[in-house]
Amino acid sequence: MTTVAIVYYSGYGHTVKLAEAVQAGAASETGAKATLYRIDANGDLPEGAWEEIAKADALIYGSPTYMGGPAWQFKKFADASSKVWFTQGWKNKLAAGFTTSASTNGDKFSTMEYFWTLSQQHGQVWIGTGLMPANKKEHGPSDVNWTAGFAGALAISPSDASPEEAPRSGDLETARLLGRRVAEFATRLR
């Protein structure tokens, strides 16, 4: 069975919704299992998560974008992964990422670049969205890849929107499609 580990931090609940969409997409691939590993407010993973993540075929990273980069809680996880890096434990595993911020741009690409750099430090193989952008006048937040994320799934969660209101349907579908794509590639490589 193909296994996908989704490691993420969420400060206000918006990133949880993206993580759940990624999980649903990955789990929709026949023969794939996708598990969420939420980093807590102290930057720690649940008990036993490191061991389970080590067994995964793919890791998908997620964090809100705060001040042009991932939340410090995610960075704590990334720094702690240096023990795995030393043994090359995640080498040749697939990697991908997702993020959200309140603004249309919000420097989300800086967070994606951070995830990509982390994956390359670990010798992973990065998978982007593979989606065309919804960039015509008639397009909006309900369309897939409205934010034109190619490196990963990018979402907009306005600062006054609850997790029930944002991310919007197009961003959630984009995240779902990313999860499915990662699981498909991981299955092909098994």
Side-chain angles (χ1 to χ4, degrees), residues 7 10 21 64 110:
V7 182
S10 183
S110 295

Side-chain angles (χ1 to χ4, degrees), residues 63-145:
S63 173
T65 295
Y66 293 157
M67 301 306 293
W72 72 262
Q73 291 89 343
F74 185 89
K75 289 178 61 63
K76 181 179 175 183
F77 155 77
D79 289 348
S81 76
S82 64
K83 293 175 185 173
V84 178
W85 168 82
F86 189 73
T87 63
Q88 293 291 279
W90 296 345
K91 187 173 185 171
N92 296 326
K93 292 180 184 283
L94 298 182
F98 59 94
T99 189
T100 187
S101 71
S103 301
T104 303
N105 180 322
D107 293 321
K108 288 185 260 301
F109 186 72
S110 295
T111 300
M112 295 308 303
E113 189 174 43
Y114 183 90
F115 296 156
W116 177 82
T117 301
L118 175 64
S119 77
Q120 298 311 287
Q121 290 279 315
H122 281 286
Q124 294 178 279
V125 178
W126 188 262
I127 303 292
T129 64
L131 298 170
M132 293 299 291
N135 60 2
K136 295 184 179 171
K137 289 189 291 185
E138 68 265 18
H139 292 140
S142 63
D143 291 301
V144 169
N145 207 18

Side-chain angles (χ1 to χ4, degrees), residues 164-185:
E164 291 74 35
E165 299 171 297
R168 296 178 185 117
S169 60
D171 292 339
L172 294 173
E173 181 62 10
T174 302
R176 190 191 72 75
L177 291 169
L178 175 67
R180 182 170 178 93
R181 186 169 198 234
V182 170
E184 286 173 355
F185 273 87

